Amino acid sequence: MWKVLVLLAVFLVIQDTDGFWWRRKKYVHTKTVCEHHRMRLNCGRHRYILVHSATYGRQNSRTCSRKGASHCTTKCRSRKSSFVVKRFCNGKSSCRIWAKNRVFGDPCVGTYKYLRVKYYCKKGHFRGREVNEEDKRGTEDIMYTEEDME
């Protein structure tokens, strides 16, 4: 029996490329901010932000709900959310970003949206941009300024 447990542990360690699989959730920060508000990501000294994912839109009716709001969709998401947040925040010790259509586009007109970001704080120095090709889709028309973000 102990051989099976050892093999299982070895398998899990091999599958775990980020390390510390049993504590991973503890290190992922998730922040949510309603439309027209600003979000601040912060990792403190000697650490930098590494964005895992970002979503601007609406995925459920509970988050940032408004009393008396008219009909709204819960299946909308800006395709450029992750790209924009990664481009602006990755590698910084802190950053501020607005949750607004001017930054992310308007994926569902007339629906009150929110921005949700999942990120890690990494030790050391940032080594280049960490944006994958999937994040870049639909970003050709990004037009924002530093003022839009801060």
Side-chain angles (χ1 to χ4, degrees):
M1 179 67 176
W2 67 272
K3 290 180 183 179
V4 173
L5 291 174
V6 169
L7 285 173
L8 179 61
V10 169
F11 175 76
L12 290 174
V13 169
I14 290 171
Q15 293 298 315
D16 179 36
T17 58
D18 291 342
F20 305 107
W21 61 270
W22 59 90
R23 297 184 293 178
R24 183 174 291 143
K25 280 193 170 186
K26 179 179 175 183
Y27 295 107
V28 177
H29 304 281
T30 302
K31 288 206 169 185
T32 303
V33 67
C34 301
E35 185 176 1
H36 307 298
H37 290 85
R38 187 170 28 191
M39 174 184 288
R40 182 169 189 245
L41 307 181
N42 188 16
C43 287
R45 271 182 96 175
H46 307 297
R47 294 180 182 267
Y48 65 89
I49 297 167
L50 187 58
V51 176
H52 176 265
S53 63
T55 305
Y56 177 73
R58 178 161 289 283
Q59 303 293 305
N60 66 60
S61 57
R62 294 176 315 279
T63 306
C64 293
S65 60
R66 284 182 152 179
K67 291 181 182 177
S70 60
H71 173 73
C72 66
T73 182
T74 57
K75 294 182 180 159
C76 80
R77 177 175 86 83
S78 172
R79 293 184 303 158
K80 53 186 151 187
S81 307
S82 283
F83 176 79
V84 171
V85 177
K86 286 179 181 182
R87 185 170 178 197
F88 191 73
C89 294
N90 274 359
K92 296 180 179 180
S93 61
S94 69
C95 74
R96 293 181 302 180
I97 188 165
W98 280 99
K100 57 185 180 180
N101 296 335
R102 187 171 173 187
V103 176
F104 296 100
D106 194 350
C108 41
V109 177
T111 297
Y112 188 60
K113 295 164 277 296
Y114 56 88
L115 173 64
R116 176 167 289 147
V117 178
K118 293 183 180 183
Y119 68 101
Y120 300 92
C121 290
K122 301 281 244 175
K123 288 184 180 178
H125 300 285
F126 186 61
R127 302 184 210 290
R129 294 210 183 269
E130 305 234 1
V131 176
N132 61 37
E133 290 303 315
E134 184 176 313
D135 292 331
K136 291 182 182 178
R137 283 185 296 150
T139 61
E140 303 80 26
D141 60 342
I142 290 178
M143 295 189 57
Y144 58 82
T145 66
E146 295 290 318
E147 290 173 2
D148 291 335
M149 307 307 256
E150 297 187 348

